[in-house]
Amino acid sequence: MPVFSKIKEKLFGKKASEPEKPVTVNPVFTAQSGTAAAAIAAGKAQAAAAAAKAPPPPQPVKAEPVDIAAVLDAAVKAKGQTLNWRVSIVDLMKALDLDSSLAARKELAAELNYSGPHADGSAEKNIWLHKELMKALAENGGKIPADLLK
């Protein structure tokens, strides 16, 4: 799973599974049902009756933005460590129990279209990565403190 997807899942939670669609079983042709055409017609009648009884599909509900600061503050508190997720991409990833290695940060940088100097693990790259992550989370329904979007 891409690193950004893992971060979103940790912050926003797993997506609710779609409701299951009712299964319509077509009647099996037997000697008692007469002909194959009768069996097909009965199956179509069953499907139409099921469709008529089925409730309308659920309308999408616009979700409230997720307060990213609150989620991360709670994650840091639960870890019992001093993690400054507001400035450190490494601490942010640690707070979410994600791999914060150089390889993981390189992957995240690629996902967020990093085009700057590719000095591995540089402070400049990590600062860019943190800022871009905050922007990307805001674009995906996260409520980000204004000072982190500058």
Side-chain angles (χ1 to χ4, degrees):
M1 176 185 292
V3 177
F4 184 64
S5 294
K6 291 176 186 176
I7 292 170
K8 284 193 319 184
E9 184 176 290
K10 293 280 187 167
L11 293 170
F12 298 105
K14 293 184 180 181
K15 291 182 179 178
S17 60
E18 293 182 17
E20 291 185 27
K21 295 179 182 176
V23 178
T24 305
V25 179
N26 288 327
V28 179
F29 175 73
T30 64
Q32 294 173 343
S33 66
T35 65
I40 292 170
K44 287 181 182 179
Q46 270 188 339
K53 291 179 186 177
Q59 296 299 315
V61 177
K62 185 175 180 183
E64 290 294 318
V66 173
D67 186 346
I68 299 300
V71 174
L72 284 166
D73 286 341
V76 168
K77 187 175 182 179
K79 296 285 283 178
Q81 298 177 10
T82 303
L83 298 172
N84 191 356
W85 69 265
R86 291 176 182 267
V87 296
S88 170
I89 188 67
V90 173
D91 284 359
L92 185 150
M93 294 172 83
K94 284 180 179 180
L96 296 174
D97 292 321
L98 295 173
D99 178 9
S100 62
S101 69
L102 178 58
R105 287 180 281 131
K106 279 183 176 181
E107 183 180 337
L108 180 59
E111 291 173 34
L112 297 176
N113 301 313
Y114 180 72
S115 62
H118 289 284
D120 291 338
S122 71
E124 179 182 287
K125 187 173 186 178
N126 285 338
I127 291 167
W128 178 91
L129 190 55
H130 189 277
K131 288 181 185 270
E132 288 302 308
L133 178 61
M134 292 296 115
K135 289 177 192 173
L137 290 171
E139 291 169 0
N140 283 274
K143 179 181 167 191
I144 307 292
D147 63 316
L148 296 179
L149 292 174
K150 294 179 183 177

